[in-house]
Each structure stands twice: as C-alpha cells, then as structure tokens.
Amino acid sequence: MKKTHLTETRFSNLELSDSIIKGLKEAGFINCTPIQDKSLPLSLRGKDIAGQAQTGTGKTATFLLATFQHLINDESEKIKNPRALILAPTRELAIQIHKDALALSKYLNLKFALIYGGTDYQKQLDKIKGNVDIIIGTPGRIIDFYRQGAFTLENIQVTVMDEADRMFDLGFIKDIRFLLRRMPPAEKRLNMLFSATLSYKVTELAYEHMNNPVLIRIESEEVTSKAINQVAYCPANEQKIPLLLGLLKQHQPQRSIVFVNTKRCAEQLDDYLQANGHKTAMLSGDVPQEKRQRLLNDFQENRVTLLIATDVAARGLHIPDVSHVFNYDLPQDVEDYVHRIGRTARFGASGEAISFICEEYAYSMPDIEDYIGEKVPVQAITPELMVEDVIKPERREPRERVMQRDKRAPRSEHKPREHRPARPQPATNQASTPENPPPPQTQQPA
C-alpha cells in the first residue's frame, strides 16, 4: 500500500512506552500521520486536544495511544473502576474503536468494556460491573448502566469524544453533558475531542468541558484527500441506473459503497442491482443491529463487494480496501460529502469517488465545491457507459405497507367473499343471488 500521508515523525521518537511501541510495530505503524504528529506530543504531556482531520488519517490511534500512555503513567493507583471513557456516536464506530484498541494494547494489561445499544444487554452489564479500565461505547446505554449503579465516573482520568459533530447531529449532546458533569473537573482529566469537522457548536463544547484545549485544524484545501480521484456525471433521473451499471462494468471495483439519501431509494437500487447480476447488501438506519453487523462482516470478508448505504454508514466505519465510492444521490449536507468519499483512500491508499449530479440533487454540488475548496471535474456520459438492456426487478411492496398488513394480520387473513368457505345452507331453487345481498334474513327451506 502506498503511504502518501505520513510525516517524518516516528512513533518510537515520541514519549510512548516500549510496550506500546512494540504493539505499534506489529500492527505496521512506524511513522505518524499529520494529525498524530501534531496531537500526540501535546496529549502525551497532558494537554487537552480538540482535533480536526479528514477521515482515515489516524484520529483513532491518536486518542487511543494518548489514553493508554496516560493510564500507564498512573498505573500505580490500582483503581477498581473505569479510568477512561471513550464516547462514539454510533455502534459501528464504537465497535471499530474497540477493535483497534485491542490490537494496539496487545502488550498492555488493560481491560475494556464495549457498550452499545440494540443487543447483548445483560452481557454488557456484567462486563461493565467488572474491573475494567476503559469503557468504549455510545452515550445512551452507558447512561443506562450508570444510573443502575453498575459503575462510577468518579475516577475517570481520560475522556474522549470521537466524531463530536455527529454527536450533535444525532441529538446526543445532552447525554454527553450528563456524563461529563459527573466526572472529576476538566483540569483533573486528560480530554480529547476529535472530528472530521470542528463547527462553532463543537468548539463551544470543547471550551465548556475541557481544560483550555489546543485546537488542531487541517488546511481547507486538505478537506478531501488528494489520494481520492473525484469525478462527476450529470445524468437525467432515468439515466442513473443504466449509468451506474455501466460504471460498475467498466471499473470492476474491488469493493465499493453506493450512497443514497433515502431508504426507499436504497431498496429500489438494491432490487435493480440484484436483478442485473450484482450481489449486494443494503444498510439503512432501521436495519436491526445484529443484521447490520452481519452485513458489514459480509462486506469486510468479501462475501459481498457492493454495499448500498444511507448516511448511517458514512462515518466512523473503517472498511479496508474500498476502491470506489459512488454518490448515486448527492448529499444535502456538504460535510456528509467529505465523510462519504472518505470511506475510500484510507491510510494512504488511492480511491475513486464518482458522483451523480442528477436533476433532484444538482443544487448541492456548488455548496460541496465551496466547502472542499475545489471543483469536481465533470465527465461526459458516452454511449458505452450506459447499459442498454437493464433488467427490471419485480415490483417490491413498500416495507411500510407490509408492516401495516402484518399488524392487521388477523383481519387481513380473511379472503374476499368469493373465497370464504361456503356457509352450510339448505338447498334452494334460486338460480343466482344478487351481487350485493341485503342483510341476511332467515331463509326458508325450499
């Protein structure tokens, strides 16, 4: 893999323990990325950090390494309660942070609790009641367990908020403040906040609940990675599916994500792609947690190489070797564009980001280009890019209608009148009955 976003600074030159350096070397980490180079020297000396960097540039390793070293330094105080809390906005991101934490702490005597909603309630509760050093999870369930008295926040020495802007988007900010106000004062903790974007409300949060943090920002021209080749096409709405099929045929992506704006569009696209020979997985906000994890595992293990997703998958997921990202629908939030295309070109690899400037969402492109500070080249739609014989899938019944019908199952099981079992009746001389008979009356035998 070509490393294009590494600095000359080596991890071995930082104030990290030999055990941490050993784990880094085994994981293949030798040189720092820019965000690591700027943040770690400060955080390793106890300085609070509010860092902004594009996705895939090593923010997770930055706060994990600083957390580990801080806890190692204070390891003489054997505290039987969590000493660090790492908050993430989504279950997927929490799972990924936990996975990275296990890899980088291979030679450390640290215990972790992974806490998130949707599944494994009792298992997680039992885990957090044990002697864990670091809690990694989403705010809702962590608060649930805290209110049950499963753990205390009185001994927290390190606090991390990852994807802080997403915390605001998902309405978690009250939960975060609830937790922060029950910890030791900010000056008695190491506090780190990381996000792909640092908006005014995020920096306000940082200054309110952190100890005079240093703001570390990337330059505006680096909002999107130079390793991502961005192109766009301007199809009419009816051209989008033939064009996508043609581009998939031409590029033959190793592993790709197609982003859409709505669940309904995801379902329609999933049907079309499967009907035309593509094995796909679909990820939207209402997919149950266990199924979501199964879909992501299938994608990561190459059992499925094409993932259709709404923006629920745009942030916090580190899926290696995503070669292509397709914006089938342009996002309506400019920041989501950066998060989406950041799923490719991870850690210095190259990638392709292909966007459709269609009739419905074309208005988003000028704002996107203003935000990323560059023009996205537009290419012509040539005939060879369009698949002519698109196979139409069988019409899918809307999921909402299916769910409503299922709720009414006892009533809806009744068939139309002509299919009901005939009610036993005496023989009659009548050759026929009216189409809409009057209310039943006592019939006299013939």
Side-chain angles (χ1 to χ4, degrees):
M1 180 183 294
K2 184 180 179 182
K3 300 291 184 182
T4 58
H5 293 281
L6 297 179
T7 67
E8 296 297 320
T9 304
R10 289 174 168 260
F11 288 106
S12 57
N13 294 333
L14 300 177
E15 298 176 44
L16 293 167
S17 72
D18 292 340
S19 298
I20 291 178
I21 296 297
K22 186 177 180 181
L24 283 166
K25 286 183 178 178
E26 286 197 10
F29 293 101
I30 306 298
N31 290 70
C32 295
T33 64
I35 189 64
Q36 294 163 352
D37 180 40
K38 293 179 180 179
S39 301
L40 277 170
L42 296 172
S43 58
L44 289 174
R45 295 189 178 187
K47 191 68 179 174
D48 286 4
I49 297 294
Q52 172 183 301
Q54 64 202 42
T55 56
T57 54
K59 295 193 300 292
T60 303
T62 302
F63 63 71
L64 285 176
L65 295 177
T67 299
F68 296 163
Q69 190 62 54
H70 192 86
L71 297 186
I72 290 172
N73 293 343
D74 293 339
E75 201 170 22
S76 57
E77 302 180 33
K78 291 294 183 181
I79 300 172
K80 191 186 176 182
N81 282 300
R83 294 186 289 151
L85 180 64
I86 300 175
L87 296 171
T90 65
R91 294 167 287 195
E92 290 80 13
L93 180 54
I95 291 168
Q96 185 60 51
I97 293 171
H98 181 255
K99 181 179 178 181
D100 292 342
L102 293 177
L104 294 177
S105 65
K106 184 176 179 180
Y107 297 101
L108 304 176
N109 186 28
L110 294 174
K111 295 181 180 179
F112 304 89
L114 175 60
I115 307 299
Y116 57 88
T119 185
D120 294 335
Y121 188 92
Q122 190 60 45
K123 182 179 178 181
Q124 293 178 14
L125 181 58
D126 293 340
K127 181 72 174 179
I128 206 171
K129 285 181 176 179
N131 186 17
V132 299
D133 297 286
I134 301 173
I135 296 175
I136 302 169
T138 53
R141 181 162 287 186
I142 288 176
I143 289 178
D144 182 1
F145 290 161
Y146 174 79
R147 283 177 167 157
Q148 293 186 46
F151 66 97
T152 179
L153 294 170
E154 295 175 359
N155 302 305
I156 293 295
Q157 301 171 22
V158 183
T159 303
V160 178
M161 291 172 280
D162 195 17
E163 297 287 6
D165 54 344
R166 189 64 168 162
M167 299 279 199
F168 277 95
D169 294 342
L170 296 177
F172 286 142
I173 200 60
K174 289 184 179 180
D175 291 341
I176 292 171
R177 287 195 165 105
F178 175 90
L179 294 168
L180 291 172
R181 287 166 180 163
R182 284 154 179 80
M183 298 178 189
E187 59 270 19
K188 294 185 178 181
R189 311 186 311 254
L190 172 65
N191 304 283
M192 291 172 283
L193 178 152
F194 285 90
S195 177
T197 56
L198 282 180
S199 62
Y200 173 79
K201 58 188 178 183
V202 172
T203 55
E204 186 179 43
L205 173 71
Y207 284 121
E208 181 183 354
H209 291 284
M210 300 172 72
N211 182 27
N212 193 24
V214 177
L215 295 184
I216 298 177
R217 297 177 182 268
I218 57 169
E219 298 299 325
S220 60
E221 62 266 24
E222 298 175 6
V223 169
T224 57
S225 170
K226 299 301 181 184
I228 304 174
N229 180 41
Q230 301 176 68
V231 299
Y233 296 90
C234 297
N237 286 343
E238 64 271 12
Q239 292 179 308
K240 291 175 72 174
I241 288 175
L243 178 59
L244 178 62
L245 291 170
L247 290 170
L248 290 170
K249 183 178 180 180
Q250 181 190 68
H251 287 264
Q252 295 290 314
Q254 174 185 353
R255 188 181 292 166
S256 60
I257 303 178
V258 181
F259 282 106
V260 297
N261 288 347
T262 66
K263 181 185 72 173
R264 183 174 182 180
C265 181
E267 292 174 344
Q268 180 190 46
L269 192 55
D270 187 42
D271 290 343
Y272 265 98
L273 289 175
Q274 292 205 38
N276 286 271
H278 293 276
K279 191 173 182 181
T280 63
M282 188 186 74
L283 189 63
S284 61
D286 63 345
V287 174
Q289 176 63 20
E290 291 185 5
K291 183 178 180 181
R292 184 180 305 186
Q293 283 304 120
R294 186 171 67 250
L295 292 176
L296 290 173
N297 288 336
D298 287 345
F299 190 57
Q300 291 175 326
E301 299 295 331
N302 278 331
R303 289 186 287 271
V304 173
T305 58
L306 183 56
L307 179 68
I308 303 166
T310 57
D311 283 308
V312 70
R315 300 187 184 218
L317 296 180
H318 170 48
I319 301 173
D321 303 323
V322 174
S323 59
H324 292 70
V325 167
F326 295 90
N327 283 309
Y328 185 82
D329 296 332
L330 279 179
Q332 295 167 290
D333 186 332
V334 294
E335 294 177 4
D336 284 336
Y337 178 83
V338 176
H339 295 304
R340 285 183 180 188
I341 71 172
R343 298 308 97 205
T344 188
R346 307 285 287 183
F347 296 104
S350 60
E352 299 280 338
I354 301 172
S355 299
F356 289 180
I357 308 174
C358 67
E359 302 167 49
E360 189 172 359
Y361 299 109
Y363 64 86
S364 294
M365 185 51 81
D367 292 336
I368 289 170
E369 291 177 331
D370 285 345
Y371 182 73
I372 65 176
E374 60 181 302
K375 290 287 185 182
V376 178
V378 176
Q379 296 188 0
I381 301 175
T382 56
E384 57 267 22
L385 284 180
M386 301 284 288
V387 170
E388 294 183 2
D389 302 321
V390 177
I391 301 173
K392 291 186 177 181
E394 294 183 7
R395 187 169 183 178
R396 178 199 291 241
E397 186 174 1
R399 185 177 298 181
E400 292 82 359
R401 189 178 300 171
V402 173
M403 293 173 65
Q404 290 174 3
R405 188 189 64 221
D406 290 344
K407 289 179 181 178
R408 299 194 306 264
R411 179 178 296 178
S412 61
E413 284 173 359
H414 294 301
K415 304 299 181 183
R417 181 177 294 273
E418 59 268 26
H419 293 292
R420 290 185 186 178
R423 180 184 298 174
Q425 294 183 6
T428 178
N429 291 333
Q430 294 177 341
S432 61
T433 59
E435 188 67 23
N436 295 301
Q441 299 179 0
T442 304
Q443 296 185 3
Q444 299 297 327

